[in-house]
Amino acid sequence: MPQTANVNRQILLASRPVGAPTAANFQLVETPVPTPGPGQMLLRNRWMSLDPYMRGRMSDAKSYADPVPVGGVMTCGTVSEVIASELDGYKAGDLVMCFASGWQDYTLSDGSMVFRLDPNMAEPSLALGVLGMPGFTGYMGLTDIGQPKPGETVVVGAATGPVGTVVGQVAKLMGCRAVGVAGGAEKCEYAVKELGFDACIDHKDPALAEKLAASCPDGIDVYFENVGGKVFDAVMPLLNAHARIPLCGLIAQYNMTSLPDGPDRMPQLMRLMLSQRIRMQGFIIFDNYGHCYPDFLKAMTPWVAEGKVRVKEDRVEGLENAPEAFMGLLEGKNFGKLVVKIAD
Protein backbone atom coordinates (compact mmCIF):
# COMPACT_ATOMS: atom_id res chain seq x y z
CA MET A 1 0.00 0.00 0.00
CA PRO A 2 1.50 3.38 -1.00
CA GLN A 3 1.44 6.47 1.18
CA THR A 4 -1.89 8.35 1.13
CA ALA A 5 -3.09 11.74 2.35
CA ASN A 6 -5.52 10.46 4.98
CA VAL A 7 -3.95 7.31 6.48
CA ASN A 8 -0.87 7.17 8.67
CA ARG A 9 0.79 3.78 8.43
CA GLN A 10 2.95 3.02 11.47
CA ILE A 11 5.29 0.15 12.30
CA LEU A 12 5.14 -0.64 15.99
CA LEU A 13 7.33 -2.68 18.31
CA ALA A 14 4.99 -5.62 18.88
CA SER A 15 7.29 -7.46 21.30
CA ARG A 16 10.86 -7.33 22.52
CA PRO A 17 13.22 -9.62 20.59
CA VAL A 18 15.28 -12.31 22.25
CA GLY A 19 18.42 -12.52 20.15
CA ALA A 20 17.93 -11.51 16.54
CA PRO A 21 14.68 -9.67 15.75
CA THR A 22 12.03 -11.51 13.76
CA ALA A 23 8.98 -10.37 11.80
CA ALA A 24 6.83 -11.18 14.85
CA ASN A 25 8.48 -8.32 16.75
CA PHE A 26 6.91 -5.75 14.39
CA GLN A 27 3.32 -4.75 13.64
CA LEU A 28 2.01 -2.57 10.81
CA VAL A 29 -1.07 -0.52 11.77
CA GLU A 30 -3.10 2.25 10.17
CA THR A 31 -4.12 5.36 12.12
CA PRO A 32 -5.59 8.76 11.19
CA VAL A 33 -3.19 11.46 10.05
CA PRO A 34 -2.67 13.71 13.10
CA THR A 35 -3.42 17.44 13.15
CA PRO A 36 -0.79 19.85 14.47
CA GLY A 37 -1.65 21.99 17.47
CA PRO A 38 -0.02 25.22 18.67
CA GLY A 39 3.76 24.93 18.51
CA GLN A 40 3.66 21.84 16.29
CA MET A 41 4.04 20.95 12.63
CA LEU A 42 2.97 17.94 10.61
CA LEU A 43 5.72 16.19 8.65
CA ARG A 44 5.15 13.88 5.69
CA ASN A 45 8.04 11.44 5.74
CA ARG A 46 9.67 10.74 2.38
CA TRP A 47 12.79 8.80 3.38
CA MET A 48 13.63 6.96 6.58
CA SER A 49 16.95 5.74 7.89
CA LEU A 50 17.68 2.24 9.22
CA ASP A 51 20.64 2.03 11.59
CA PRO A 52 22.11 -0.60 13.96
CA TYR A 53 21.42 1.48 17.09
CA MET A 54 17.72 0.73 16.67
CA ARG A 55 18.32 -2.82 17.89
CA GLY A 56 19.31 -1.40 21.27
CA ARG A 57 16.15 0.68 21.43
CA MET A 58 14.09 -2.52 21.01
CA SER A 59 15.52 -3.81 24.30
CA ASP A 60 14.51 -2.67 27.79
CA ALA A 61 18.08 -2.96 29.06
CA LYS A 62 19.54 0.20 30.61
CA SER A 63 21.14 2.34 27.93
CA TYR A 64 21.86 5.93 26.94
CA ALA A 65 18.31 6.38 25.59
CA ASP A 66 14.88 5.21 26.68
CA PRO A 67 13.71 2.04 24.95
CA VAL A 68 10.84 2.04 22.50
CA PRO A 69 7.81 0.89 24.53
CA VAL A 70 6.04 -2.24 23.42
CA GLY A 71 3.21 -0.97 21.22
CA GLY A 72 5.16 2.21 20.43
CA VAL A 73 6.29 3.42 17.02
CA MET A 74 9.82 2.35 16.09
CA THR A 75 12.17 5.32 16.13
CA CYS A 76 14.29 6.61 13.24
CA GLY A 77 15.47 9.69 11.40
CA THR A 78 13.59 10.91 8.34
CA VAL A 79 13.76 13.34 5.48
CA SER A 80 10.34 14.96 5.52
CA GLU A 81 8.17 17.66 4.00
CA VAL A 82 6.27 20.09 6.19
CA ILE A 83 2.57 19.64 5.38
CA ALA A 84 1.05 22.05 7.90
CA SER A 85 2.67 24.21 10.55
CA GLU A 86 1.64 25.97 13.75
CA LEU A 87 5.32 26.36 14.61
CA ASP A 88 7.17 29.63 14.10
CA GLY A 89 9.92 29.40 11.50
CA TYR A 90 8.43 26.55 9.46
CA LYS A 91 5.85 26.61 6.69
CA ALA A 92 4.18 24.12 4.40
CA GLY A 93 6.56 22.92 1.70
CA ASP A 94 9.75 23.16 3.76
CA LEU A 95 12.09 20.18 3.47
CA VAL A 96 13.60 19.06 6.77
CA MET A 97 15.60 16.32 8.39
CA CYS A 98 14.05 15.06 11.62
CA PHE A 99 16.14 12.92 13.96
CA ALA A 100 13.18 12.26 16.29
CA SER A 101 10.67 10.80 13.88
CA GLY A 102 9.52 7.19 13.47
CA TRP A 103 8.70 4.31 11.15
CA GLN A 104 5.56 5.96 9.84
CA ASP A 105 4.11 8.10 7.06
CA TYR A 106 3.46 11.21 9.17
CA THR A 107 5.07 12.72 12.27
CA LEU A 108 4.00 15.51 14.61
CA SER A 109 7.02 17.59 15.61
CA ASP A 110 7.68 20.51 17.94
CA GLY A 111 10.89 21.31 16.07
CA SER A 112 13.19 19.34 18.38
CA MET A 113 16.02 17.61 16.51
CA VAL A 114 14.82 19.09 13.22
CA PHE A 115 17.16 20.71 10.69
CA ARG A 116 16.11 22.60 7.58
CA LEU A 117 17.32 21.21 4.22
CA ASP A 118 17.76 22.82 0.83
CA PRO A 119 14.44 22.11 -0.93
CA ASN A 120 16.35 21.74 -4.20
CA MET A 121 18.67 18.96 -2.95
CA ALA A 122 19.28 16.54 -5.80
CA GLU A 123 19.53 13.59 -3.39
CA PRO A 124 17.68 14.38 -0.14
CA SER A 125 18.33 10.87 1.21
CA LEU A 126 22.01 11.81 1.67
CA ALA A 127 20.86 13.81 4.68
CA LEU A 128 20.31 10.45 6.40
CA GLY A 129 23.76 9.11 5.57
CA VAL A 130 26.93 10.91 4.66
CA LEU A 131 25.41 14.31 5.57
CA GLY A 132 23.39 12.94 8.49
CA MET A 133 23.86 11.04 11.72
CA PRO A 134 26.17 8.27 10.36
CA GLY A 135 28.49 10.66 8.53
CA PHE A 136 28.48 13.02 11.49
CA THR A 137 29.37 10.08 13.77
CA GLY A 138 32.28 8.97 11.61
CA TYR A 139 33.64 12.47 11.16
CA MET A 140 33.49 13.60 14.79
CA GLY A 141 34.68 10.31 16.26
CA LEU A 142 37.66 10.23 13.94
CA THR A 143 38.68 13.88 14.10
CA ASP A 144 37.98 14.66 17.76
CA ILE A 145 38.70 11.37 19.54
CA GLY A 146 40.90 9.66 16.96
CA GLN A 147 42.89 12.82 16.14
CA PRO A 148 44.76 11.14 13.26
CA LYS A 149 48.08 12.53 12.13
CA PRO A 150 49.55 12.31 8.61
CA GLY A 151 51.32 8.98 8.11
CA GLU A 152 49.40 7.13 10.82
CA THR A 153 47.37 3.98 10.21
CA VAL A 154 43.60 4.16 10.72
CA VAL A 155 41.52 0.95 10.79
CA VAL A 156 37.73 0.83 10.71
CA GLY A 157 35.28 -2.08 10.80
CA ALA A 158 32.11 -2.19 8.67
CA ALA A 159 34.20 -0.23 6.20
CA THR A 160 31.54 0.03 3.49
CA GLY A 161 28.78 1.04 5.89
CA PRO A 162 27.75 4.69 6.24
CA VAL A 163 30.06 5.36 9.21
CA GLY A 164 33.02 3.33 7.96
CA THR A 165 33.06 4.89 4.49
CA VAL A 166 33.33 8.36 6.01
CA VAL A 167 36.03 7.31 8.49
CA GLY A 168 38.22 5.77 5.80
CA GLN A 169 37.83 8.53 3.25
CA VAL A 170 38.36 11.35 5.74
CA ALA A 171 41.42 9.51 7.09
CA LYS A 172 42.85 9.51 3.57
CA LEU A 173 42.07 13.23 3.18
CA MET A 174 44.05 13.76 6.39
CA GLY A 175 47.09 11.94 5.00
CA CYS A 176 46.68 8.61 6.77
CA ARG A 177 46.85 4.99 5.69
CA ALA A 178 43.27 3.68 5.75
CA VAL A 179 42.58 -0.02 6.28
CA GLY A 180 39.05 -1.37 6.36
CA VAL A 181 37.38 -4.58 7.47
CA ALA A 182 34.19 -5.58 5.65
CA GLY A 183 32.03 -8.62 4.94
CA GLY A 184 32.80 -10.24 1.60
CA ALA A 185 35.13 -9.81 -1.36
CA GLU A 186 32.78 -7.45 -3.21
CA LYS A 187 32.65 -4.99 -0.33
CA CYS A 188 36.41 -5.15 0.18
CA GLU A 189 37.04 -4.49 -3.51
CA TYR A 190 34.67 -1.53 -3.40
CA ALA A 191 36.47 -0.06 -0.37
CA VAL A 192 39.83 -0.15 -2.15
CA LYS A 193 38.90 0.63 -5.77
CA GLU A 194 36.04 3.08 -5.25
CA LEU A 195 36.62 4.61 -1.82
CA GLY A 196 40.41 4.73 -1.93
CA PHE A 197 41.22 2.58 1.11
CA ASP A 198 44.78 1.26 1.10
CA ALA A 199 43.54 -2.21 2.01
CA CYS A 200 40.38 -3.96 3.14
CA ILE A 201 40.15 -7.37 4.82
CA ASP A 202 37.18 -9.73 4.68
CA HIS A 203 36.06 -10.45 8.25
CA LYS A 204 34.75 -13.82 7.05
CA ASP A 205 38.28 -14.91 6.08
CA PRO A 206 39.71 -17.43 8.58
CA ALA A 207 43.04 -15.63 8.20
CA LEU A 208 41.57 -12.26 9.24
CA ALA A 209 44.15 -11.64 11.98
CA GLU A 210 47.12 -12.52 9.79
CA LYS A 211 45.90 -10.47 6.82
CA LEU A 212 45.11 -7.47 9.01
CA ALA A 213 48.62 -7.61 10.47
CA ALA A 214 50.12 -7.75 6.97
CA SER A 215 48.07 -4.70 5.95
CA CYS A 216 49.23 -2.74 9.01
CA PRO A 217 53.02 -3.25 8.99
CA ASP A 218 53.54 -0.25 11.26
CA GLY A 219 50.74 -1.20 13.66
CA ILE A 220 47.46 0.62 14.26
CA ASP A 221 47.29 4.18 15.58
CA VAL A 222 43.53 4.73 15.37
CA TYR A 223 40.90 2.01 15.45
CA PHE A 224 37.38 3.27 14.91
CA GLU A 225 35.23 0.72 16.75
CA ASN A 226 31.71 0.12 15.53
CA VAL A 227 31.72 -3.69 15.29
CA GLY A 228 33.38 -5.49 18.22
CA GLY A 229 33.66 -9.27 18.23
CA LYS A 230 36.41 -11.01 16.28
CA VAL A 231 37.39 -7.81 14.47
CA PHE A 232 38.47 -6.21 17.73
CA ASP A 233 40.25 -9.43 18.68
CA ALA A 234 42.34 -9.12 15.50
CA VAL A 235 43.01 -5.43 16.12
CA MET A 236 44.17 -5.68 19.75
CA PRO A 237 47.68 -7.10 19.21
CA LEU A 238 48.41 -4.45 16.57
CA LEU A 239 47.58 -1.36 18.63
CA ASN A 240 50.52 1.01 18.93
CA ALA A 241 51.51 2.97 21.99
CA HIS A 242 49.15 5.93 22.45
CA ALA A 243 46.59 4.46 20.03
CA ARG A 244 43.12 6.02 20.09
CA ILE A 245 39.86 4.08 19.86
CA PRO A 246 36.64 6.03 19.20
CA LEU A 247 33.77 3.70 20.16
CA CYS A 248 30.35 4.33 18.63
CA GLY A 249 28.84 0.85 18.23
CA LEU A 250 29.18 -2.91 18.67
CA ILE A 251 26.99 -4.37 15.95
CA ALA A 252 28.51 -7.86 16.30
CA GLN A 253 27.12 -8.04 19.84
CA TYR A 254 23.66 -6.47 19.54
CA ASN A 255 21.82 -9.78 19.16
CA MET A 256 23.80 -11.65 21.83
CA THR A 257 21.86 -13.17 24.71
CA SER A 258 24.93 -14.39 26.65
CA LEU A 259 28.68 -13.91 26.75
CA PRO A 260 30.61 -15.50 23.86
CA ASP A 261 32.46 -18.76 24.31
CA GLY A 262 36.16 -18.65 25.03
CA PRO A 263 38.44 -17.04 27.60
CA ASP A 264 37.68 -13.78 29.36
CA ARG A 265 39.71 -11.19 27.42
CA MET A 266 39.06 -8.31 29.80
CA PRO A 267 42.33 -8.71 31.76
CA GLN A 268 44.26 -8.82 28.48
CA LEU A 269 42.54 -5.68 27.24
CA MET A 270 43.06 -3.77 30.49
CA ARG A 271 46.74 -4.66 30.58
CA LEU A 272 47.13 -3.64 26.93
CA MET A 273 45.42 -0.31 27.52
CA LEU A 274 47.71 0.38 30.45
CA SER A 275 51.00 -0.74 28.91
CA GLN A 276 50.33 0.90 25.55
CA ARG A 277 48.65 3.95 27.13
CA ILE A 278 45.65 3.54 24.83
CA ARG A 279 42.71 5.93 24.85
CA MET A 280 39.28 4.33 24.28
CA GLN A 281 36.29 6.65 24.43
CA GLY A 282 32.66 5.85 23.81
CA PHE A 283 30.42 8.59 22.47
CA ILE A 284 26.81 9.25 21.49
CA ILE A 285 26.90 11.63 18.58
CA PHE A 286 24.19 14.15 19.42
CA ASP A 287 24.75 13.95 23.17
CA ASN A 288 28.43 14.76 22.80
CA TYR A 289 28.62 16.72 19.57
CA GLY A 290 25.19 18.04 18.66
CA HIS A 291 26.46 21.62 18.70
CA CYS A 292 29.07 20.70 16.07
CA TYR A 293 26.59 19.61 13.39
CA PRO A 294 26.64 22.89 11.38
CA ASP A 295 30.45 22.83 11.33
CA PHE A 296 30.38 19.20 10.16
CA LEU A 297 28.07 20.13 7.27
CA LYS A 298 30.41 22.95 6.23
CA ALA A 299 33.28 20.47 5.95
CA MET A 300 31.46 17.46 4.51
CA THR A 301 29.08 19.07 1.99
CA PRO A 302 31.81 20.35 -0.35
CA TRP A 303 33.76 17.08 -0.08
CA VAL A 304 30.67 15.19 -1.25
CA ALA A 305 29.93 17.71 -4.00
CA GLU A 306 33.52 17.52 -5.27
CA GLY A 307 33.62 13.71 -5.14
CA LYS A 308 36.32 13.66 -2.46
CA VAL A 309 33.96 11.63 -0.27
CA ARG A 310 32.02 9.07 -2.28
CA VAL A 311 28.66 7.65 -1.30
CA LYS A 312 26.81 4.37 -1.79
CA GLU A 313 23.21 3.83 -0.75
CA ASP A 314 21.21 0.63 -0.35
CA ARG A 315 17.65 1.75 -1.10
CA VAL A 316 14.51 -0.17 -0.13
CA GLU A 317 11.09 0.77 -1.50
CA GLY A 318 8.08 0.90 0.81
CA LEU A 319 7.53 1.42 4.53
CA GLU A 320 6.12 -2.10 4.83
CA ASN A 321 9.51 -3.53 3.87
CA ALA A 322 11.42 -1.77 6.66
CA PRO A 323 11.37 -4.68 9.17
CA GLU A 324 12.86 -7.17 6.72
CA ALA A 325 15.49 -4.65 5.62
CA PHE A 326 16.38 -3.90 9.24
CA MET A 327 16.80 -7.57 10.10
CA GLY A 328 19.10 -7.91 7.10
CA LEU A 329 21.11 -4.89 8.25
CA LEU A 330 21.97 -6.63 11.52
CA GLU A 331 23.27 -9.58 9.48
CA GLY A 332 25.39 -7.37 7.21
CA LYS A 333 23.23 -7.91 4.12
CA ASN A 334 23.13 -4.24 3.16
CA PHE A 335 25.76 -2.70 0.90
CA GLY A 336 26.01 1.01 1.66
CA LYS A 337 23.78 3.29 3.72
CA LEU A 338 20.40 1.60 4.20
CA VAL A 339 17.45 3.91 3.57
CA VAL A 340 13.77 3.27 2.91
CA LYS A 341 11.86 5.33 0.38
CA ILE A 342 8.43 5.95 1.85
CA ALA A 343 7.06 8.42 -0.69
CA ASP A 344 8.04 10.56 -3.68
Side-chain angles (χ1 to χ4, degrees):
M1 175 183 172
Q3 188 181 79
T4 68
N6 53 11
V7 174
N8 185 25
R9 298 171 302 165
Q10 299 178 310
I11 296 181
L12 312 181
L13 177 64
S15 58
R16 299 204 184 280
V18 178
T22 68
N25 299 128
F26 303 94
Q27 181 184 11
L28 176 63
V29 300
E30 296 180 2
T31 61
V33 176
T35 300
Q40 293 182 320
M41 57 182 169
L42 177 65
L43 306 180
R44 180 173 72 90
N45 301 326
R46 294 183 180 180
W47 294 89
M48 60 176 276
S49 178
L50 292 177
D51 300 284
Y53 79 85
M54 297 172 182
R55 174 60 183 85
R57 300 291 294 275
M58 297 175 76
S59 170
D60 59 2
K62 184 178 180 180
S63 185
Y64 63 89
D66 292 336
V68 175
V70 173
V73 179
M74 287 289 297
T75 186
C76 72
T78 59
V79 169
S80 310
E81 176 188 357
V82 178
I83 298 299
S85 177
E86 298 290 334
L87 180 63
D88 289 344
Y90 293 93
K91 65 182 185 304
D94 285 349
L95 188 67
V96 300
M97 176 171 50
C98 179
F99 288 107
S101 188
W103 296 24
Q104 56 189 348
D105 287 317
Y106 295 90
T107 300
L108 278 181
S109 171
D110 62 1
S112 300
M113 299 295 287
V114 172
F115 297 88
R116 195 184 307 276
L117 298 175
D118 180 351
N120 298 314
M121 283 183 70
E123 298 288 348
S125 58
L126 296 186
L128 299 174
V130 66
L131 300 178
M133 183 272 292
F136 188 27
T137 298
Y139 178 85
M140 293 307 306
L142 176 67
T143 58
D144 188 63
I145 300 173
Q147 299 182 3
K149 303 174 183 63
E152 290 190 324
T153 296
V154 175
V155 173
V156 61
T160 59
V163 174
T165 56
V166 168
V167 170
Q169 291 180 93
V170 172
K172 290 297 295 180
L173 289 171
M174 299 181 75
C176 298
R177 177 175 175 81
V179 177
V181 180
E186 182 184 7
K187 292 181 178 180
C188 289
E189 182 179 24
Y190 173 79
V192 174
K193 292 186 176 180
E194 299 295 330
L195 301 180
F197 281 64
D198 294 284
C200 189
I201 316 302
D202 184 356
H203 70 70
K204 301 176 184 178
D205 193 323
L208 166 64
E210 294 80 2
K211 291 186 177 181
L212 182 62
S215 297
C216 303
D218 297 321
I220 297 173
D221 301 292
V222 180
Y223 173 54
F224 195 105
E225 177 62 289
N226 57 0
V227 175
K230 63 182 180 182
V231 176
F232 187 63
D233 291 344
V235 165
M236 280 176 57
L238 306 176
L239 291 168
N240 289 331
H242 306 290
R244 289 81 69 196
I245 305 175
L247 168 61
C248 77
L250 295 166
I251 191 171
Q253 300 174 23
Y254 287 161
N255 288 331
M256 289 174 52
T257 57
S258 62
L259 293 175
D261 295 333
D264 179 4
R265 294 178 176 82
M266 182 59 73
Q268 176 189 4
L269 173 60
M270 296 298 288
R271 180 173 180 176
L272 181 67
M273 292 182 69
L274 174 61
S275 62
Q276 293 290 72
R277 290 136 294 167
I278 293 168
R279 176 189 180 190
M280 176 184 284
Q281 181 176 333
F283 69 103
I284 306 301
I285 186 61
F286 282 104
D287 285 0
N288 295 102
Y289 297 108
H291 62 286
C292 299
Y293 186 68
D295 293 332
F296 156 74
L297 285 180
K298 289 180 183 178
M300 187 61 66
T301 300
W303 282 343
V304 173
E306 296 164 12
K308 294 181 178 179
V309 172
R310 303 191 66 177
V311 179
K312 185 177 181 65
E313 289 186 319
D314 191 336
R315 294 182 171 185
V316 174
E317 294 275 348
L319 176 66
E320 68 278 6
N321 294 315
E324 182 179 359
F326 176 67
M327 291 183 285
L329 168 69
L330 296 178
E331 298 175 1
K333 292 182 179 180
N334 63 301
F335 192 172
K337 174 67 188 95
L338 186 58
V339 293
V340 179
K341 185 178 181 180
I342 303 176
D344 292 326

